[in-house]
Amino acid sequence: MFSKTADPTAAPPPRTSNARSVLASDLRITGEISSTGHVEILGEIDGNVTARGVVLGVEGRLSGQITAETVEIKGKLDGKVISTDFALRSTAKVAADITYRTLVVDSGAEVEGSFAVAKE
């Protein structure tokens, strides 16, 4: 019968990906980073990161906000985190406000800031 056609000017729905991007230790980035997959940060970021998953490596440094389903911090973070699953490893040095649903803090992690459980 009749069918509705898609609006050709409408943006496609966001897709999630299992792709993994690695930002090498020799990179210094100022600005916004966005990915539908996972991002591993080994260098230095001054800005916000939005992804499905984020790992901040031992030598990695981030000053800004991370928004992701899973976040694992091994390096230095100064800013804010909004995540579902959040983990601080023993090498982490964090000054941040963190919103999470599940939390893991390894012995030795240094933390300054606030923690809040995300509302469903």
Side-chain angles (χ1 to χ4, degrees):
M1 197 104 185
F2 296 101
S3 65
K4 184 176 181 180
T5 58
D7 179 0
T9 62
R15 297 182 319 193
T16 58
S17 169
N18 286 327
R20 182 174 171 194
S21 300
V22 178
L23 304 177
S25 61
D26 64 334
L27 287 175
R28 179 181 163 95
I29 298 173
T30 299
E32 307 292 316
I33 297 172
S34 180
S35 174
T36 58
H38 297 268
V39 176
E40 183 172 359
I41 301 165
L42 304 175
E44 187 173 335
I45 308 295
D46 185 9
N48 301 328
V49 178
T50 303
R52 185 171 185 195
V54 174
V55 174
L56 182 61
V58 173
E59 298 298 319
R61 295 187 350 199
L62 188 136
S63 179
Q65 178 172 309
I66 298 174
T67 304
E69 290 177 23
T70 61
V71 176
E72 181 177 7
I73 306 297
K74 300 175 186 175
K76 295 180 182 176
L77 169 67
D78 182 13
K80 183 176 181 179
V81 176
I82 300 170
S83 70
T84 302
D85 300 317
F86 183 73
L88 286 170
R89 300 303 177 202
S90 63
T91 54
K93 296 182 191 309
V94 174
D97 295 326
I98 301 159
T99 304
Y100 65 93
R101 285 206 188 130
T102 61
L103 173 67
V104 174
V105 180
D106 289 353
S107 178
E110 296 177 22
V111 183
E112 180 180 331
S114 67
F115 289 91
V117 177
K119 307 265 192 252
E120 298 267 342

